[in-house]
Amino acid sequence: MIDRSTNASLHVIGDQAAPGLIMAPASQLDAIRRILDEHHIYYWVDEEYISFDGEPDVAFINFSRDVDPKRVQKLLDEAA
């Protein structure tokens, strides 16, 4: 999946040793939620969004320790 604000691929930050997270434009949150929900991946979204230097709001999508970040990354990469 491409980050619409940067035109770069979205990436899962973290590995098996630490819980993962995705920083994504808030405008793409619904699409990301659909993918995660469809594949029964447990996550939560921080209540507040952050804007860096006047850029669009960024949402933080967090995963529990038992979520495989490589699996999530593969799902994002396969998404249109």
Side-chain angles (χ1 to χ4, degrees):
M1 180 174 280
I2 301 296
D3 179 326
R4 291 185 204 141
S5 63
T6 65
N7 290 323
S9 295
L10 288 173
H11 290 285
V12 178
I13 301 167
D15 55 31
Q16 285 302 129
L21 70 92
I22 300 170
M23 293 173 45
S27 63
Q28 289 181 263
L29 188 55
D30 287 341
I32 295 168
R33 283 179 188 244
R34 276 192 295 276
I35 292 167
L36 299 174
D37 291 345
E38 180 178 309
H39 294 278
H40 309 285
I41 295 173
Y42 180 74
Y43 67 93
W44 67 95
V45 179
D46 287 355
E47 289 183 25
E48 296 183 20
Y49 303 149
I50 296 175
S51 177
F52 299 101
D53 297 326
E55 295 292 322
D57 288 344
V58 173
F60 288 80
I61 305 162
N62 304 278
F63 302 103
S64 65
R65 290 190 186 276
D66 63 336
V67 172
D68 180 359
K70 291 180 183 177
R71 177 175 179 233
V72 176
Q73 186 63 58
K74 182 178 180 193
L75 294 171
L76 290 175
D77 292 344
E78 292 173 350

